[in-house]
Amino acid sequence: MGQEINQTQFDDQVFSEYRCRLSREIALLEEQLSHGIFSAIGEIGGYELESWLVDHNYFPSPINQAFLTRLNNPLVVHELSRFNVELNGAPMPLKGNALSAMAFELDQNWQECQEVAHQMDSVLMMIGILPTVR
């Protein structure tokens, strides 16, 4: 994550290393499953939404640390750049009105984030990659 990959062709050594690492990860997962490390309470869901802090000209606003400090919401965390933040949903059982509850929580968090961003002369955008980044 966050590492730039500049090549599009890979040799046998790279694929061998990939298979080795994947095998180790699968073995670790199997071990964790066999020891009951994961929750047994059923299906749990959540979400994450990547967003950008931008100024009123839609250019990146590199204020995420100050924004997060002012917001003080553990469900909103920094992302890779100084202008990205990530909104996360609290994990909840996937039954009943779970999707409506997630939508309500996201809307509340989004509105709170926008209020803080506006106080800092910025706005939050739901976008993966900002087209103005060069």
Side-chain angles (χ1 to χ4, degrees):
M1 178 65 116
Q3 179 182 358
E4 193 68 36
I5 300 174
N6 295 320
Q7 65 190 77
T8 58
Q9 302 282 324
F10 303 96
D11 60 23
D12 289 340
Q13 181 181 356
V14 171
F15 283 111
S16 178
E17 176 67 19
Y18 172 78
R19 282 189 295 276
C20 182
R21 289 182 185 198
L22 182 60
S23 293
R24 286 195 309 256
E25 291 293 319
I26 291 170
L28 178 61
L29 177 60
E30 288 173 339
E31 180 183 332
Q32 291 172 337
L33 287 170
S34 70
H35 287 99
I37 291 175
F38 295 99
S39 172
I41 62 172
E43 290 79 21
I44 301 292
Y47 61 85
E48 71 173 43
L49 175 69
E50 311 248 345
S51 55
W52 288 59
L53 287 156
V54 296
D55 64 20
H56 295 290
N57 292 313
Y58 301 103
F59 285 99
S61 187
I63 60 168
N64 70 352
Q65 285 304 107
F67 170 82
L68 292 170
T69 298
R70 187 179 289 190
L71 181 67
N72 194 29
N73 182 336
L75 293 176
V76 183
V77 298
H78 66 82
E79 253 304 310
L80 295 176
S81 312
R82 295 184 309 157
F83 35 80
N84 297 99
V85 294
E86 177 182 290
L87 285 76
N88 293 286
M92 60 181 63
L94 291 175
K95 59 184 176 184
N97 66 344
L99 296 178
S100 295
M102 285 182 203
F104 179 79
E105 177 190 53
L106 175 58
D107 185 56
Q108 294 296 108
N109 284 334
W110 184 257
Q111 293 306 318
E112 180 185 12
C113 287
Q114 287 293 23
E115 288 172 17
V116 171
H118 286 272
Q119 293 168 10
M120 302 177 77
D121 202 31
S122 295
V123 295
L124 214 55
M125 291 183 68
M126 291 184 221
I127 189 166
I129 297 175
L130 193 63
T132 57
V133 171
R134 292 174 182 87

